[in-house]
Amino acid sequence: MSGWVSILLGLALVASACGGSSDGDGDGAAPATTAAPATTAAPATTAAPATTAAPATTAAAEEPAADEPATTTTNAPATTTQAPDSQAESTATTTLAPEEAAPEPVFGGTLRLGVEAETDGLNPTVNRFAVSATQMAHAVFDSLAIWDETNSRAVPWLAESFTPSDDLMTWDVKLRPGITFHDGTPLTSEAVLLGFQRQMVDPLISLAVKPMYPADDPDTEAYEPAEIIDELTTRFNLIRPTSDFARYVTGQLGYIPSPTWIRAAMEDPTLNQAPVGTGPFRFDSRTQDQMTRFVRNDDWWNGDVYLDAVEYYVYTDTVIAADALTVGDLDGMHTSNVDAVLVLRDDEDVVRIESDHGSETFGMLNTAGAPFDDIRARKALTFAAARADYLEFIGQGLLRPANSWFPPGSPYHDPDLVQEGDSPDLATPLVAELCAEKPDYCTDGKIDMEFQYSGPSVVQDRIYDILADGWSDHFNITKEMLLQDDHITHVAFGLYDWVTWRQMGSPDPDNDVTWLNCGAIGALSLNWPRYCDPARDELMYAQRGTVDQAERVELWKQISRKVHDDYTYILFTHTLWANGFASNVKNVCGALSPDGVRLMCTVNGWHLTHQIWMED
């Protein structure tokens, strides 16, 4: 496997990135492939005891005024959300009811979780972290910040505070004191800076990081993007005003690995499979493509960890995982596969948490070459898309149609924005005009195009059949099914016309600027359609720099309108994520921050595990 292909296995950089299931609905990323399953055992190191801090139980501090830059501490988020539109209500349901009285936690037991994909490694400075890797990473690493229970605000986790300058161009991140890595190394600002520097030089991860920071001047001794202020404080120097730095470090970019381990892994890449963090569980063993096991960290800085161990089993067909849960071979799982969701719903003993307020399922058009460098071809494909058939046969009544990245209930949702489709008559004059003007784009009066997708996948085959049939009167379609790693390589290098994808859906949309800005276009691109709109960039950077939420909402509505009018994406559905658990798995939604803020239950299919216990 070439070096570039190996790099491209890491395209999903954050929680919002495309998923990794081969049976998912239009998933864009893939499980990493290996020459042979590799079993990795934990190194024989003894960690020094860490200072343990019990979660605070005091009330959260008062939220600052909307027009003031805030030091992010323990501010309580608003808990109200806009009701879903009556004609587009979510079908997501839950069987998880709040506990009437706090039960007594139970120590012990091994939690067996099914994940939809494997990852090429568990080093956040070099490896790909899609949903499954994020789920595993939160067991062994702590992120600097974490989402609150409404997934609307990033609150301090490993960090104690985030403090901006008056112009929002620098942010000081102060760590909590007395924390130790699993290998005994103390947590200091050196660890934060080293992890950041390693991400900045990684050929892939840097594409998501560099656009936020000034370039390092090699002629100066100083490191311009970030600097150590004191033993616990790191200052990040940004290239533009940023109103909330914490939201960028809730996932992969905020995991802090041991600097001792990072340096060792630079010399021996096999150590990327044996992560060392500060998290509630320590790495124990890993057989790639099969199972990864972590055991309780008795010295965790944030209090008690109840489980003896947590094991992650790879099920690329999550229908099989759902069956395994119902017969007792698993204790929990996640899925975005409608068939698997239906299996979970059919078992009344399975406790479920469902949400379709995360990632979206869509298709992308490559504007860097024929035929979709011409907006008439993009419009024709959009108008003739068989969205109704897609919803009926792929959505099966469970998936809501998507008109933008934001579902009803999101503050950024624009009810006036409508995704076109099912109007082939509107495509006819566009195709005729384009073929007359650019005959090289067409054959026999139809536009020539390639439909690329990853497989083998039953669901993707269904999607191809439905969409290709709807487009057949206006397009000559060449089918290209690629193995998933090759598929990702082709998309990143712009070697495609049309692909299906699952992405976006970060709790804060600013994190998704990574996939839309002009700076992400190059030989290797994270702006997948390779469409640059400087005016759209100005809007995205304006919303990043304002502390006025009402202004941010209005700017995102303008951005959504521009995305729509560029015809570079065709949106189909809001992805329905389901997390299922055996009835004896308790406290899934009971996590608190060290400052007493209630935390997210699930985000795009992943959840925390330190607070979970299992009844006998």
Side-chain angles (χ1 to χ4, degrees):
M1 183 180 295
S2 72
W4 275 115
V5 172
S6 298
I7 290 168
L8 288 164
L9 292 174
L11 286 174
L13 300 179
V14 292
S16 59
C18 42
S21 169
S22 62
D23 68 336
D25 184 12
D27 294 344
T33 57
T34 55
T39 300
T40 306
T45 59
T46 302
T51 300
T52 302
T57 57
T58 56
E62 182 179 354
E63 189 160 351
D67 59 352
E68 296 176 1
T71 297
T72 305
T73 54
T74 60
N75 303 315
T79 57
T80 57
T81 57
Q82 176 185 340
D85 290 354
S86 59
Q87 295 182 345
E89 289 186 356
S90 173
T91 62
T93 63
T94 179
T95 59
L96 186 67
E99 299 283 352
E100 293 183 2
E104 191 69 24
V106 176
F107 284 83
T110 296
L111 182 68
R112 300 163 300 168
L113 295 176
V115 293
E116 67 169 9
E118 182 57 282
T119 179
D120 59 328
L122 289 168
N123 185 338
T125 71
V126 297
N127 294 126
R128 56 98 64 182
F129 276 45
V131 175
S132 299
T134 299
Q135 175 68 80
M136 289 187 271
H138 265 288
V140 69
F141 296 112
D142 294 305
S143 51
L144 290 169
I146 199 163
W147 294 109
D148 69 8
E149 72 175 322
T150 63
N151 291 335
S152 62
R153 183 180 178 88
V155 299
W157 184 244
L158 198 59
E160 183 175 81
S161 64
F162 296 83
T163 305
S165 59
D166 291 341
D167 61 1
L168 302 179
M169 293 288 287
T170 66
W171 281 80
D172 288 354
V173 179
K174 184 177 181 180
L175 298 169
R176 299 183 190 274
I179 298 176
T180 305
F181 289 99
H182 301 155
D183 60 6
T185 304
L187 172 66
T188 67
S189 50
E190 181 214 354
V192 175
L193 183 62
L194 178 61
F196 173 76
Q197 290 174 321
R198 296 307 301 161
Q199 289 178 333
M200 284 283 276
V201 299
D202 182 84
L204 179 69
I205 300 175
S206 63
L207 296 177
V209 184
K210 282 184 176 180
M212 291 183 62
Y213 298 92
D216 181 36
D217 185 349
D219 295 329
T220 65
E221 186 176 344
Y223 184 68
E224 279 78 14
E227 57 187 306
I228 292 175
I229 302 302
D230 58 41
E231 187 178 32
L232 295 178
T233 306
T234 308
R235 177 168 295 166
F236 291 89
N237 303 307
L238 306 176
I239 201 170
R240 298 179 182 89
T242 298
S243 63
D244 186 0
F245 185 78
R247 61 185 172 229
Y248 304 113
V249 289
T250 56
Q252 181 170 0
L253 301 184
Y255 298 138
I256 308 301
S258 163
T260 304
W261 172 71
I262 288 179
R263 293 187 178 100
M266 291 168 61
E267 299 296 324
D268 179 6
T270 64
L271 292 177
N272 292 333
Q273 309 299 331
V276 178
T278 59
F281 295 90
R282 302 170 184 265
F283 174 77
D284 183 66
S285 64
R286 174 169 162 81
T287 301
Q288 211 160 358
D289 298 309
Q290 297 180 33
M291 190 267 281
T292 300
R293 175 182 168 86
F294 301 96
V295 297
R296 179 171 57 230
N297 176 15
D298 291 321
D299 299 317
W300 192 41
W301 60 274
N302 195 32
D304 288 329
V305 179
Y306 303 112
L307 298 167
D308 287 336
V310 57
E311 297 174 348
Y312 298 95
Y313 293 85
V314 177
Y315 285 82
T316 56
D317 184 342
T318 55
V319 174
I320 297 175
D323 289 334
L325 176 58
T326 62
V327 300
D329 290 337
L330 287 175
D331 303 304
M333 61 166 291
H334 62 203
T335 184
S336 62
N337 183 324
V338 170
D339 293 334
V341 173
L342 292 172
V343 171
L344 297 178
R345 288 188 178 187
D346 283 343
D347 191 329
E348 61 182 15
D349 292 328
V350 172
V351 177
R352 288 178 293 102
I353 305 164
E354 296 182 2
S355 174
D356 67 353
H357 279 66
S359 57
E360 318 304 324
T361 301
F362 52 93
M364 301 185 297
L365 301 89
N366 183 6
T367 69
F372 297 124
D373 57 348
D374 192 305
I375 195 171
R376 291 170 294 185
R378 303 200 298 271
K379 285 185 173 181
L381 195 76
T382 301
F383 294 149
R387 295 184 78 237
D389 288 344
Y390 184 104
L391 283 167
E392 179 180 357
F393 296 108
I394 303 302
Q396 301 184 57
L398 268 68
L399 304 182
R400 282 196 288 177
N403 291 308
S404 75
W405 309 129
F406 309 113
S410 165
Y412 307 99
H413 174 67
D414 184 350
D416 297 327
L417 199 62
V418 176
Q419 172 66 68
E420 299 98 335
D422 299 308
S423 302
D425 55 315
L426 297 179
T428 301
L430 292 168
V431 173
E433 180 182 307
L434 187 146
C435 289
E437 183 179 321
K438 298 180 178 179
D440 291 347
Y441 282 40
C442 304
T443 302
D444 298 328
K446 299 181 183 180
I447 299 173
D448 300 325
M449 64 169 283
E450 176 195 85
F451 187 130
Q452 185 186 128
Y453 64 95
S454 64
S457 166
V458 172
V459 173
Q460 288 289 352
D461 289 339
R462 284 186 211 157
I463 293 172
Y464 171 81
D465 290 339
I466 290 167
L467 296 180
D469 183 63
W471 288 326
S472 60
D473 289 342
H474 298 91
F475 291 85
N476 299 308
I477 300 173
T478 301
K479 177 179 178 180
E480 176 104 28
M481 190 276 287
L482 298 174
L483 294 176
Q484 291 176 338
D485 53 352
D486 291 335
H487 174 59
I488 296 170
T489 302
H490 278 62
V491 172
F493 279 106
L495 304 176
Y496 77 94
D497 293 338
W498 158 267
V499 294
T500 51
W501 213 251
R502 185 190 75 194
Q503 200 175 358
M504 305 303 180
S506 171
D508 190 291
D510 188 55
N511 287 9
D512 290 330
V513 172
T514 296
W515 319 104
L516 298 171
N517 73 91
C518 294
I521 303 173
L524 178 67
S525 181
L526 293 181
N527 179 331
W528 313 116
R530 294 171 174 261
Y531 187 84
C532 176
D533 181 352
R536 187 175 71 185
D537 273 14
E538 288 185 16
L539 293 172
M540 290 191 293
Y541 294 131
Q543 66 78 35
R544 174 173 290 178
T546 182
V547 297
D548 185 335
Q549 180 62 9
E551 183 180 4
R552 288 194 74 216
V553 167
E554 178 56 35
L555 287 167
W556 270 108
K557 288 182 178 180
Q558 294 179 46
I559 295 164
S560 295
R561 173 59 61 181
K562 280 188 167 292
V563 169
H564 170 275
D565 293 347
D566 294 333
Y567 291 90
T568 52
Y569 303 90
I570 302 177
L571 279 77
F572 294 110
T573 62
H574 301 297
T575 304
L576 177 64
W577 275 104
N579 293 76
F581 300 92
S583 59
N584 68 326
V585 178
K586 303 297 182 181
N587 208 37
V588 175
C589 298
L592 299 174
S593 81
D595 304 306
V597 177
R598 291 189 64 87
L599 301 179
M600 42 67 65
C601 186
T602 63
V603 177
N604 288 333
W606 65 267
H607 56 87
L608 301 171
T609 52
H610 70 271
Q611 80 287 353
I612 291 176
W613 67 79
M614 300 175 66
E615 291 182 346
D616 295 335

